[in-house]
Amino acid sequence: MSAPRIALGGVVRTWDGAERTGLNAAYLHSICAVGGVPVVLSPLIGPAYAARALDGMDGLVLTGGGDVDPAWYGSDPSPRADPPNRERDLFELALFAAARQRELPILGICRGIQLMNVALGGTLYQDLPSERPGVVDHNRPGARTDRSHAIRLALGSLAAEALGNSDLRVNSFHHQGIRDLAPGLVPTGWSEDDLIEAVEGAKGQPWMLGVQWHPEEMHADARAPERGLFRALVEQALSAAASVDS
Ligand code: MN
């Protein structure tokens, strides 16, 4: 088998006067660049058919976007949080649960790492500047590829291995972050103000990696270390598919 099928959570937006569904093309470029076949799954499918939508998929990417509804982790909404999007939350929570049940490799990006944490019982800062002021601006205006803050990664972690480095600068545009880490997740990356920037599943669990920055935006640079994250996902998807075939 080659070219594993990688499911990605999509978005619903209105533009040109119609409701449409899709995804930032950077995610698709990132998967194509490492030999995967990206398949965008729309929240319009609904949570009841999330598992069906994953049939034939070999991996899952939980993508970036608006804030996860704080009701899922038992907090009242901050006035600075995005309006809740129940449709997207419910669909992605169902995708995540189904992917875990099938032991598919999972990569969570920005909102994706936050959704993983909430799904597994953790909580979030709803607005970093007001709830956790620090020396690092995690949402600095600029190009989406600007490497605006440093992170350090645990040696030997999935993220460090995939990126080929344990110290790097990353792009950053998020105003939320992990507060209480969920049981079952291991922190493996931190910014200089000690916010969690990378997590992985516990040892012996199926491959699961989350990052708080946006590796997909680096897709045009073949030498960017971020390509290694997508390569690792596709390699895991290949071996997961092979073990099902055999
Ligand atoms: Mn950051």
Side-chain angles (χ1 to χ4, degrees), residues 136-138 149 151 170-174 191 195 197 212-213:
V136 177
D137 185 352
H138 290 276
H149 74 69
I151 60 163
V170 296
N171 59 347
S172 186
F173 30 103
H174 58 105
S191 55
L195 187 72
E197 291 270 347
Q212 185 56 75
W213 73 100

Side-chain angles (χ1 to χ4, degrees), residues 7-11 22-24 27-28 40-41 60-66 88 92 107-115 214 216:
L8 302 108
V11 299
L23 184 64
N24 176 353
Y27 292 100
L28 286 84
V40 179
L41 301 181
L60 173 66
V61 179
L62 294 166
T63 56
R88 185 172 179 194
E92 291 184 347
L107 175 62
I109 293 174
C110 198
R111 169 189 157 91
I113 185 179
Q114 296 169 5
L115 187 108
H214 282 276
E216 77 284 1

Side-chain angles (χ1 to χ4, degrees), residues 93-172:
L93 288 166
L95 276 182
F96 181 61
R100 275 170 51 82
Q101 196 172 20
R102 293 175 196 193
E103 305 195 347
L104 298 182
I106 301 168
L107 175 62
I109 293 174
C110 198
R111 169 189 157 91
I113 185 179
Q114 296 169 5
L115 187 108
M116 285 162 52
N117 186 54
V118 170
L120 296 173
T123 68
L124 303 178
Y125 293 106
Q126 291 189 52
D127 181 63
L128 291 170
S130 56
E131 295 175 21
R132 191 188 188 276
V135 294
V136 177
D137 185 352
H138 290 276
N139 206 5
R140 203 171 72 180
R144 294 172 74 86
T145 50
D146 283 355
R147 295 183 180 273
S148 62
H149 74 69
I151 60 163
R152 63 182 195 285
L153 298 165
L155 287 173
S157 61
L158 294 183
E161 295 291 307
L163 289 154
N165 207 336
S166 58
D167 286 289
L168 71 161
R169 295 187 67 79
V170 296
N171 59 347
S172 186

Side-chain angles (χ1 to χ4, degrees), residues 69-71 73-84 126 131:
D69 188 345
Y73 50 94
S75 292
D76 294 328
S78 156
R80 294 184 173 83
D82 296 335
Q126 291 189 52
E131 295 175 21

Side-chain angles (χ1 to χ4, degrees), residues 191-245:
S191 55
E192 284 165 309
D193 58 353
D194 287 324
L195 187 72
I196 292 176
E197 291 270 347
V199 301
E200 64 186 54
K203 244 189 176 42
Q205 294 292 307
W207 194 92
M208 175 164 63
L209 173 55
V211 297
Q212 185 56 75
W213 73 100
H214 282 276
E216 77 284 1
E217 296 295 346
M218 305 305 185
H219 67 87
D221 179 3
R223 287 179 305 179
E226 280 80 1
R227 188 163 289 194
L229 289 174
F230 296 99
R231 190 173 291 116
L233 171 69
V234 161
E235 282 170 2
Q236 289 295 319
L238 272 172
S239 59
S243 71
V244 169
D245 290 345

